[in-house]
Amino acid sequence: MASEEKVSAETAFLKDEKSEKNISELEHSDTSCGFSIFKGPTLQRYAKTHTFVIVYGIASCFMAMAFTYFTGTITTLEKRFNIPTKISGFITVGNDISTVFTSAFLSYYASRGHRPRWVALGLIIMALFCVLMLLPHIFYGPGDEALKWTKEYGSQDGALNHTTKDENLCYEKDLDCVKDTGDFVPILMFFVAQFIGGIGCSLYYAPGLAYMDDNSDRAKTPAMLSWSAFIRMLGPAMGFSVVSLCLRIYIDPFRTPLITTKDPRWMGAWWLGWIFLTIILLISAFFVGMFPKEMPKARVKRLKAEGDDITPLAERSLSDMMQSLKRLAANKVYVYNTLSSILYIFGYMPYWIFTPKYIEIQYRQSASLANMATGSWALGFSAAGVLISGYVITKYKPSARAMAAWNFVVDYLTVAGIILYVLVGCDEGDRANSLSILPLTDDCSAACDCEYVHYAPVCSPDNVTLISPCHAGCTDKGVDEQGRIIFTGCQCMGNSLGLTASTNASSPSLMALDEACPVDCFNQFLIFLAVMCFLKFVGATARSSNLLLGLRCVPREDKTFAMGFNSMVLSVLAFIPSPIVFGWMWDSYCLVWGKTCGSKGNCWIYDTKSLRYSMNVACASLIFLGSFWNIGVWYYAKDMQVFDDDEKKPENKQNEAMELKEQNIDNDKRLESSQ
């Protein structure tokens, strides 16, 4: 009996010692919600993984809105600040350049601390990115090029003054050219904004996703990743919708434009959305930062785990990071998955960045409609693909090999869809672009000083669009009986069709309307939209499986660093070079530049047919090559465990729930006593 009492006493002592140790660890790990004065028992009920998934997904949605908003306004920025496509492509990679220098290190050291607060800091930096994107409009305004197409420009009474000299008409050559030196400050400001935005992304995605995975059950991770991705994918749809609304408003909302949204010279209020995005990102940062360092339920599982010899995160050093890097380099699934992602992203990047612009120039649609199609319609199919794939993975729990096999099937379907892009062209638009530049190659407008004339398209009676009244040889400007602005004495319009120009200035064939000729490419646009929606859906179904493979192929202690290092490698080899390479490709097919004395400016007319073939074939080839690395992932993933072998027994779940409840009660009492 005495021996039994002694053993019982020792057991009780050990339990008390373990209890004190647990309480001490609880205080150290910080499983309570809130910070500063914003904490208490009321907030503690939200310390659950599914709550974090919702809040994190909403914040991701707003971040995606910010980058999508920039993508949707690229065409307008090029017009406003005379930026060539290759320069806008370089601006776009600013965030990826900063990712190269910060992603791996920030992700590694963020894993040591309070990850939700690191994520909140990333959101605050993203808000700063939005402010910097707004500054060029504050400093430079809408610009004279946009204001000249308003009623209020150059006239106090609001009426268009037709008696003044029009710089777009045909005049004798003036060899004296006042050089426009150009202003690179707005370009530099956009690049710095993107660079800072990349730092915010580095602090947001890798720590946030790793925190979500570490604080949830393995069986529930696919569903949570899918829901988080689904909420995040609403961001691009909402971003393009906001772009569509803002670009319907003229760049100066307080003036009355003389042109419509269908006119290629239209510039929308690109700056308006940045104000809204700054506010919602700051609000999101506040709520994300409220979550605890570790979820109470996840802490219970961690304390119950036996034989856990992982080095504590707070004790990691640079040498540990090098060891992590060696383990990743030896991980064939991780390496092959990264290589396939590099080629896929390099090939698909032009569609993420230039799709609205592609729709505008290939199918002659307005910037507003192009952004609406890219966002609200196409991304709705992406969201459906993410949800369906998440449901299938959660319900059927496929093996790692099955998910890897689906990834390379998606690659082949994507290649097939991109090849269809080559075939879906608008012949009428291709012909209109080729005819519009014919006056540049003949002698009709040689006597006119047209080299630095602004792009101001005119439509001939033969339904041919010419670059400007000057290139059409027009000498006078007036208003017809219907109140439309017309140009007369246009000697070069006959040459655009290979005809001999008439010498009778009053002939109807020598008159032109002040607008681009209508081109109907809407049916081709609908076919392109259908193919794009299919590719969005198919591509989205592989997102959850690919992310899950990336999370499960590395040990727990390397997870955050692996994601950060992956982001760095993808930035160096895909996100940075791809926009620059394809931006250069776009510029190489430019037919008409908005030239000034000092710079080439932006492109107004492209060789759409050649561009369509070159870009789509190049993209399809890269994605096809990447599919072979996915086959390698399939081969080496045969022994990889994605889900736990055995589900927990009901009695174990009840015991864990009771322990979690007692822990929360104890935590609430200590929080109340500390206030």
Side-chain angles (χ1 to χ4, degrees):
M1 288 290 295
S3 176
E4 292 179 359
E5 290 177 358
K6 183 178 180 181
V7 172
S8 178
E10 289 177 352
T11 303
F13 174 77
L14 290 174
K15 287 184 177 179
D16 291 339
E17 187 179 20
K18 183 178 179 181
S19 178
E20 291 177 1
K21 182 180 179 181
N22 288 348
I23 292 175
S24 175
E25 188 172 353
L26 174 64
E27 294 175 350
H28 176 72
S29 63
D30 190 11
T31 58
S32 60
C33 280
F35 55 85
S36 185
I37 62 173
F38 302 100
K39 60 183 179 181
T42 304
L43 290 176
Q44 194 60 28
R45 70 183 66 175
Y46 298 107
K48 299 177 182 178
T49 306
H50 68 267
T51 308
F52 178 80
V53 170
I54 295 173
V55 176
Y56 182 80
I58 293 174
S60 301
C61 172
F62 295 149
M63 284 191 67
M65 279 184 67
F67 284 111
T68 304
Y69 188 85
F70 170 75
T71 300
T73 56
I74 283 179
T75 306
T76 303
L77 293 177
E78 290 177 353
K79 296 176 185 177
R80 168 61 188 91
F81 297 102
N82 297 318
I83 304 174
T85 303
K86 60 184 177 183
I87 299 298
S88 62
F90 181 73
I91 293 172
T92 303
V93 304
N95 64 85
D96 300 300
I97 293 176
S98 62
T99 299
V100 171
F101 298 108
T102 62
S103 180
F105 293 101
L106 289 179
S107 298
Y108 182 80
Y109 287 104
S111 66
R112 302 172 58 182
H114 199 299
R115 284 182 287 186
R117 292 181 187 171
W118 280 102
V119 172
L121 177 60
L123 288 168
I124 293 173
I125 294 175
M126 283 298 301
L128 177 61
F129 153 74
C130 295
V131 172
L132 292 176
M133 289 297 299
L134 177 64
L135 288 181
H137 181 77
I138 296 176
F139 292 152
Y140 293 90
D144 289 338
E145 185 63 26
L147 295 178
K148 68 188 293 185
W149 304 113
T150 62
K151 286 185 178 180
E152 294 80 4
Y153 184 79
S155 179
Q156 297 296 328
D157 60 358
L160 186 65
N161 190 346
H162 301 295
T163 60
T164 58
K165 177 180 177 179
D166 192 314
E167 61 183 9
N168 290 328
L169 292 176
C170 178
Y171 298 103
E172 294 182 359
K173 281 203 175 277
D174 182 7
L175 299 179
D176 296 330
C177 177
V178 180
K179 285 195 174 183
D180 179 11
T181 57
D183 196 341
F184 289 95
V185 175
I187 297 175
L188 181 61
M189 294 173 71
F190 289 138
F191 179 81
V192 171
Q194 290 286 328
F195 188 90
I196 291 176
I199 299 175
C201 285
S202 299
L203 286 171
Y204 185 83
Y205 286 114
L209 290 174
Y211 178 83
M212 187 190 308
D213 188 49
D214 289 341
N215 288 275
S216 60
D217 296 332
R218 278 177 171 255
K220 295 181 180 179
T221 298
M224 290 189 174
L225 290 175
S226 297
W227 276 106
S228 176
F230 168 73
I231 298 174
R232 179 180 178 272
M233 292 186 70
L234 296 178
M238 295 169 61
F240 281 121
S241 297
V242 172
V243 171
S244 179
L245 292 175
C246 291
L247 294 186
R248 292 177 187 176
I249 305 171
Y250 203 59
I251 190 170
D252 188 342
F254 304 103
R255 295 177 183 260
T256 306
L258 294 170
I259 55 179
T260 65
T261 56
K262 295 183 179 181
D263 194 298
R265 295 166 291 180
W266 176 274
M267 297 185 198
W270 63 269
W271 52 272
L272 199 57
W274 294 116
I275 302 173
F276 167 71
L277 289 168
T278 302
I279 297 172
I280 61 176
L281 284 170
L282 289 175
I283 295 174
S284 301
F286 174 80
F287 285 104
V288 171
M290 301 281 279
F291 283 93
K293 182 178 180 180
E294 185 179 23
M295 294 292 182
K297 186 176 180 180
R299 175 183 172 273
V300 170
K301 288 185 61 178
R302 181 173 60 82
L303 293 179
K304 281 188 173 183
E306 296 180 357
D308 188 3
D309 58 354
I310 296 175
T311 304
L313 296 179
E315 299 177 7
R316 290 185 176 182
S317 62
L318 184 60
S319 61
D320 295 322
M321 186 175 71
M322 297 307 297
Q323 292 298 321
S324 297
L325 187 60
K326 290 180 180 179
R327 288 193 294 269
L328 293 179
N331 190 327
K332 292 185 179 180
V333 174
Y334 178 81
V335 172
Y336 289 173
N337 190 46
T338 301
L339 291 173
S340 68
S341 298
I342 289 170
L343 290 170
Y344 183 89
I345 291 172
F346 201 111
Y348 210 80
M349 193 74 180
Y351 303 107
W352 289 334
I353 297 177
F354 299 125
T355 293
K357 184 174 181 178
Y358 185 90
I359 293 174
E360 288 182 51
I361 69 163
Q362 289 285 347
Y363 306 108
R364 301 298 184 96
Q365 304 301 312
S366 67
S368 176
L369 180 60
N371 282 283
M372 181 65 70
T374 306
S376 300
W377 302 340
L379 289 176
F381 285 84
S382 295
V386 167
L387 284 182
I388 293 174
S389 63
Y391 171 78
V392 171
I393 294 174
T394 303
K395 182 175 178 61
Y396 298 103
K397 295 180 175 58
S399 65
R401 269 198 159 184
M403 289 189 284
W406 177 245
N407 284 348
F408 66 74
V409 169
V410 168
D411 286 342
Y412 296 140
L413 292 175
T414 302
V415 170
I418 292 176
I419 295 301
L420 287 178
Y421 284 166
V422 178
L423 305 178
V424 183
C426 182
D427 294 335
E428 188 177 350
D430 297 340
R431 177 177 174 273
N433 289 342
S434 61
L435 289 177
S436 64
I437 64 169
L438 287 180
L440 297 176
T441 61
D442 59 34
D443 298 329
C444 180
S445 60
C448 303
D449 190 11
C450 302
E451 186 174 3
Y452 302 113
V453 169
H454 292 289
Y455 179 69
V458 294
C459 183
S460 73
D462 301 304
N463 202 39
V464 175
T465 300
L466 301 178
I467 299 172
S468 71
C470 182
H471 292 88
C474 303
T475 57
D476 198 8
K477 179 180 181 180
V479 179
D480 66 3
E481 297 176 354
Q482 302 178 16
R484 299 175 301 180
I485 299 175
I486 61 171
F487 297 95
T488 57
C490 306
Q491 301 291 329
C492 303
M493 288 193 303
N495 288 10
S496 64
L497 293 175
L499 304 177
T500 303
S502 172
T503 57
N504 184 4
S506 62
S507 172
S509 63
L510 300 181
M511 297 181 184
L513 288 175
D514 184 25
E515 61 182 11
C517 298
V519 176
D520 186 10
C521 298
F522 192 72
N523 291 334
Q524 292 87 341
F525 164 65
L526 292 180
I527 298 173
F528 171 84
L529 183 61
V531 177
M532 181 173 65
C533 290
F534 170 76
L535 291 184
K536 292 285 187 181
F537 175 81
V538 171
T541 59
R543 287 198 177 189
S544 297
S545 58
N546 193 56
L547 181 57
L548 202 57
L549 288 172
L551 289 171
R552 294 289 185 261
C553 71
V554 295
R556 178 182 178 274
E557 65 269 26
D558 295 336
K559 192 177 300 180
T560 304
F561 175 68
M563 296 185 68
F565 184 76
N566 179 266
S567 297
M568 184 185 74
V569 172
L570 291 178
S571 295
V572 172
L573 300 178
F575 285 114
I576 291 176
S578 180
I580 296 175
V581 169
F582 284 99
W584 171 84
M585 179 183 289
W586 277 66
D587 284 347
S588 66
Y589 291 107
C590 182
L591 299 177
V592 177
W593 290 96
K595 294 172 62 177
T596 63
C597 285
S599 65
K600 184 183 289 187
N602 62 296
C603 183
W604 287 101
I605 299 178
Y606 290 90
D607 182 356
T608 50
K609 184 176 182 179
S610 299
L611 176 62
R612 184 171 66 251
Y613 275 81
S614 299
M615 190 186 86
N616 291 312
V617 170
C619 292
S621 301
L622 288 166
I623 295 173
F624 180 74
L625 291 175
S627 66
F628 291 103
W629 291 111
N630 270 328
I631 296 176
V633 174
W634 170 84
Y635 180 79
Y636 286 104
K638 55 186 176 181
D639 298 324
M640 197 175 83
Q641 184 180 5
V642 178
F643 302 97
D644 291 328
D645 292 333
D646 299 322
E647 294 292 333
K648 290 184 177 180
K649 295 181 180 180
E651 57 268 22
N652 290 340
K653 291 186 177 181
Q654 286 183 347
N655 292 337
E656 183 178 305
M658 290 297 296
E659 186 174 345
L660 177 63
K661 183 177 180 180
E662 292 174 0
Q663 184 188 108
N664 285 337
I665 293 173
D666 181 64
N667 194 24
D668 291 345
K669 289 180 179 179
R670 287 186 292 103
L671 286 172
E672 289 176 348
S673 62
S674 65
Q675 291 180 340

